[in-house]
Amino acid sequence: MRFPKERKMYCMKCKGHQKHKVTQYKPGKASTHVQGKRRYDMKQRGFRGQTKPVFKKKAKNTKKISVRNKCNKCSRTIFATLTRTKTFELIPDNQRKKTSKRDVVYGA
């Protein structure tokens, strides 16, 4: 999916449509201090082997794309979830003017 690097969206803080800078959201590194991780690590200790089931029936081969939209005026961030897609690229405004079917840009 080809998606614009900048788009006009409604900003609740500015109370109007403003230009937003678009970036792809990637989750950060998982914390080792979270309660669930601490509980899992304690359960795994000792001579018991694997104590929780390991998921093996993976069905999906794509992930939903999460996009971060940052207002250029007030810097408020709006998160949006897009459809499932294998490839995702952010394109600048000068590449958006093409009209062939292959170059259709969503969310413009």
Side-chain angles (χ1 to χ4, degrees), residues 32-95:
T32 56
H33 304 298
V34 184
Q35 176 61 57
K37 176 75 172 132
R38 294 198 311 261
R39 185 183 293 126
Y40 176 76
D41 289 341
M42 279 299 289
K43 196 171 185 181
Q44 286 293 94
R45 290 170 82 179
F47 300 106
R48 288 192 296 286
Q50 181 67 37
T51 58
K52 301 281 264 174
V54 178
F55 186 71
K56 290 179 180 157
K57 295 180 181 177
K58 187 172 181 282
K60 305 276 189 288
N61 60 358
T62 57
K63 282 193 172 7
K64 287 183 181 177
I65 305 295
S66 291
V67 182
R68 209 187 251 138
N69 304 297
K70 189 175 180 184
C71 179
N72 287 352
K73 201 172 185 184
C74 68
S75 299
R76 175 169 276 203
T77 305
I78 302 165
F79 283 91
T81 307
L82 306 178
T83 56
R84 293 181 177 276
T85 178
K86 286 193 176 187
T87 57
F88 179 79
E89 68 174 310
L90 291 166
I91 56 167
D93 201 39
N94 59 351
Q95 291 180 15

Side-chain angles (χ1 to χ4, degrees), residues 8-18 20 78:
K8 243 184 173 181
M9 289 176 63
Y10 181 77
C11 179
M12 292 183 115
K13 197 171 181 184
C14 301
K15 303 250 190 287
H17 280 75
Q18 305 293 338
H20 285 68
I78 302 165

